[in-house]
Amino acid sequence: MTTRTVHLAVYDTYADWETGHTTAHLTQNGFTVRTVGPTTDPVTTMGGVRIQPDLALGDLRPEDSALLILTGAQLWDTGDDLAPFAAKAREFLDAGVPVAAICGATAGLAREGLLDDREHTSAVSFYLDATGYKGGEHYRDTDAVTDGDLITAGPTEPVAFAREVFARLGVYEGEKLDAWYRLFHDSDASAFEVLNS
């Protein structure tokens, strides 16, 4: 990995709670998180937070990134406004740069054909079936899935999503990765000692 910059897609109705663990712990472990919007005009998250994107999607290049994170948003299910983000995910995957998609972003990837031949998960299988995609046989009913450079997770699994990102980028490994997950997913206080050893 030549860069330690991670790009977080932001757009109107972005589900801001889905990536808090991921971005906070990436930043605490030497990564820089830069936001990418449709343009550099401010966007408003589902939680009502206004974000000024660092750069526009058209200026994002896979070679400048360690990972592209796509979050859920109501816009994934109401039209094609976010289709350019799914197309950018294809560009990243074609270049061998990882993509992590959670919640509604998985439907965007399904519409783009990126889940047709990769193991993946989402909210529920029939949510993706409604996109008309051809990857149903690769759907896994689990918290989060990593298949090569693609990470997917359902909307209720931001901690499992973060775990997969950390594993893919080498932020935490082995016993520490397990301890991080137990601490933040299971509230297992004994994991704190392992994580900080």
Side-chain angles (χ1 to χ4, degrees):
M1 181 185 331
T2 57
T3 181
R4 291 185 59 88
T5 300
V6 168
H7 290 90
L8 171 66
V10 294
Y11 19 72
D12 285 330
T13 72
Y14 144 61
D16 32 10
W17 64 90
E18 293 177 343
T19 59
H21 290 288
T22 303
T23 56
H25 289 271
L26 286 172
T27 301
Q28 291 172 20
N29 284 279
F31 285 83
T32 299
V33 176
R34 297 194 70 208
T35 53
V36 182
T39 67
T40 55
D41 292 339
V43 298
T44 303
T45 72
M46 205 176 295
V49 177
R50 289 179 55 84
I51 296 175
Q52 178 82 47
D54 293 314
L55 71 156
L57 184 64
D59 296 326
L60 177 61
R61 302 177 324 153
E63 59 265 32
D64 297 331
S65 188
L67 172 76
L68 173 62
I69 301 172
L70 299 174
T71 66
Q74 292 170 336
L75 289 179
W76 285 113
D77 299 319
T78 59
D80 295 329
D81 290 351
L82 299 183
F85 285 91
K88 185 63 73 171
R90 176 180 293 284
E91 185 182 332
F92 266 59
L93 292 170
D94 287 349
V97 180
V99 172
I102 187 169
C103 189
T106 61
L109 297 187
R111 289 185 197 94
E112 181 68 20
L114 295 174
L115 305 183
D116 287 351
D117 57 3
R118 293 177 172 94
E119 290 192 6
H120 60 275
T121 194
S122 184
V124 288
S125 60
F126 58 81
Y127 172 65
L128 294 184
D129 289 343
T131 69
Y133 87 130
K134 298 172 176 58
E137 67 186 88
H138 300 291
Y139 185 87
R140 301 295 173 255
D141 189 12
T142 190
D143 297 345
V145 172
T146 298
D147 185 340
D149 287 328
L150 180 65
I151 297 165
T152 53
T156 61
E157 297 301 333
V159 178
F161 181 70
R163 177 193 60 203
E164 297 303 302
V165 168
F166 301 156
R168 180 62 185 80
L169 297 181
V171 175
Y172 301 117
E173 297 175 329
E175 189 177 65
K176 283 203 174 192
L177 181 63
D178 177 64
W180 183 90
Y181 184 73
R182 285 188 294 115
L183 180 62
F184 287 95
H185 187 266
D186 303 328
S187 299
D188 180 352
S190 70
F192 185 80
E193 290 179 26
V194 176
L195 191 58
N196 291 291
S197 62

